[in-house]
């Protein structure tokens, strides 16, 4: 864990220490009991928007999130923050031995203004970058509607340089070939022409 915080701050001990202390403070406030119960995030789980199954060719777990299923008006920002923490905790707990990173596919098919949640996106980004540094291996953003770029332009300046290098926008016509470049067909979710069924993050 200490190594990840150091890498996130280019081995600057003072900056890494500041980030780590921020993480400890955040954890005490968001996860005071040491874990988040599904009963604390009922509205978020009911949207059935995040899944985890399979690994890529580097043995990194694959997480799929459907942006159009996010309904910010059905919950609160605080519940969404707890959901993000719950999700990342479960991802980390299921990491294969010797692995620290995961791969995510953000599918925006059907995304519209009712799904847009700038405050939520910025909160999730902050939690990922500041509290779970060096956990994201790669992010594929697929089925991107043109209107999403208005939200992206607001969020983009808050993404750190390391994270920006891990983000890939995938053209629809190159989706399957791009996915298969990193993920074997046997591990690719069936919604993208692979063999694995999607498994909700809350399911064991």
């Amino acid at each position: 864990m200490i190594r990840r915080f150091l890498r996130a701050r280019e081995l600057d001990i003072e900056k890494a220490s500041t980030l780590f202390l921020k993480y400890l403070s955040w954890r005490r406030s968001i996860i005071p009991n040491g874990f988040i119960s599904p009963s604390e995030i009922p509205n978020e789980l009911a949207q059935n928007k995040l899944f985890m199954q399979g690994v890529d060719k580097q043995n990194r777990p694959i997480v799929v999130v459907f942006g159009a299923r996010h309904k910010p008006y059905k919950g609160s920002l605080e519940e969404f923050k707890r959901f993000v923490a719950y999700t990342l905790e479960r991802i980390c707990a299921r990491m294969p031995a010797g692995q620290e990173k995961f791969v995510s596919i953000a599918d925006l098919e059907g995304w519209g203004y009712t799904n847009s949640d700038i405050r939520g996106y910025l909160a999730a980004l902050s939690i990922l970058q500041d509290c779970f540094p060096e956990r994201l291996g790669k992010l594929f953003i697929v089925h991107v509607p043109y209107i999403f770029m208005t939200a992206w332009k607001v969020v983009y300046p808050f993404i750190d340089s390391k994270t920006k290098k891990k983000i890939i926008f995938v053209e629809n016509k190159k989706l399957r070939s791009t996915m298969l470049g990193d993920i074997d067909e046997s591990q690719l979710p069936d919604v993208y022409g692979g063999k694995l069924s999607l498994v909700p993050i809350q399911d064991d």
Side-chain angles (χ1 to χ4, degrees), residues 101-120:
K101 299 177 184 289
F102 68 93
V103 169
S104 183
I105 301 171
D107 193 323
L108 301 179
E109 187 168 17
W111 186 95
Y113 286 123
T114 57
N115 310 115
S116 184
D117 184 11
I118 300 300
R119 289 195 309 158

Side-chain angles (χ1 to χ4, degrees), residues 108 110-116 118 121 143-154:
L108 301 179
W111 186 95
Y113 286 123
T114 57
N115 310 115
S116 184
I118 300 300
Y121 299 156
H143 297 139
V144 184
Y146 180 74
I147 58 172
F148 173 74
M149 300 314 294
T150 57
W152 181 250
K153 287 176 182 177
V154 177

Side-chain angles (χ1 to χ4, degrees), residues 176-203:
R176 181 172 165 79
S177 62
T178 301
M179 294 288 103
L180 289 176
D182 283 70
I183 305 168
D184 190 81
E185 186 178 17
S186 67
Q187 299 294 305
L188 187 67
D190 53 11
V191 291
Y192 305 116
K195 304 293 186 182
L196 287 187
S197 299
L198 292 172
V199 179
I201 189 71
Q202 63 268 29
D203 290 359

Side-chain angles (χ1 to χ4, degrees), residues 58-78:
Q58 296 184 44
N59 204 35
R60 299 177 296 193
I62 300 166
V63 178
V64 181
V65 58
F66 292 99
R69 296 186 186 183
H70 178 57
K71 305 292 193 299
Y73 52 86
K74 288 193 174 182
S76 66
L77 180 60
E78 291 308 308

Side-chain angles (χ1 to χ4, degrees), residues 123-142:
L125 181 65
S126 176
I127 292 171
L128 176 66
Q129 292 183 159
D130 298 340
C131 302
F132 294 83
E134 295 293 295
R135 285 298 196 182
L136 179 66
K138 187 176 284 189
L139 169 62
F140 296 101
I141 303 181
V142 306

Side-chain angles (χ1 to χ4, degrees), residues 6-184:
L6 281 167
R7 290 199 301 269
R9 289 298 178 265
E10 305 293 348
L11 303 182
D12 185 309
I13 294 175
E14 186 173 340
K15 289 181 179 179
S17 297
T18 299
L19 184 63
F20 188 63
L21 290 173
K22 180 180 178 181
Y23 160 72
L24 293 177
S25 176
W26 168 84
R27 192 172 181 84
R28 282 193 297 269
S29 64
I30 297 292
I31 317 177
N33 299 319
F35 66 94
I36 293 174
S37 167
S39 63
E40 297 178 66
I41 48 174
N43 295 302
E44 296 296 330
L45 291 179
Q47 293 168 31
N48 205 36
K49 57 191 171 187
L50 203 143
F51 303 80
M52 181 178 178
Q53 64 293 296
V55 294
D56 75 349
K57 292 178 181 179
Q58 296 184 44
N59 204 35
R60 299 177 296 193
I62 300 166
V63 178
V64 181
V65 58
F66 292 99
R69 296 186 186 183
H70 178 57
K71 305 292 193 299
Y73 52 86
K74 288 193 174 182
S76 66
L77 180 60
E78 291 308 308
E79 183 181 350
F80 179 66
K81 288 179 182 179
R82 289 195 297 272
F83 172 72
V84 173
Y86 168 89
T87 295
L88 288 167
E89 288 279 296
R90 287 184 76 83
I91 292 170
C92 293
R94 297 185 193 177
M95 290 278 182
Q99 184 56 258
E100 292 187 320
K101 299 177 184 289
F102 68 93
V103 169
S104 183
I105 301 171
D107 193 323
L108 301 179
E109 187 168 17
W111 186 95
Y113 286 123
T114 57
N115 310 115
S116 184
D117 184 11
I118 300 300
R119 289 195 309 158
Y121 299 156
L122 292 177
L125 181 65
S126 176
I127 292 171
L128 176 66
Q129 292 183 159
D130 298 340
C131 302
F132 294 83
E134 295 293 295
R135 285 298 196 182
L136 179 66
K138 187 176 284 189
L139 169 62
F140 296 101
I141 303 181
V142 306
H143 297 139
V144 184
Y146 180 74
I147 58 172
F148 173 74
M149 300 314 294
T150 57
W152 181 250
K153 287 176 182 177
V154 177
V155 175
Y156 188 77
F158 295 91
I159 304 174
D160 67 37
S161 58
K162 279 178 171 272
T163 303
K164 286 176 180 175
K165 294 175 183 176
K166 301 172 183 177
I167 300 172
I168 299 173
F169 280 85
V170 183
E171 295 179 47
N172 289 351
K173 62 183 179 181
K174 295 181 179 178
L175 196 156
R176 181 172 165 79
S177 62
T178 301
M179 294 288 103
L180 289 176
D182 283 70
I183 305 168
D184 190 81

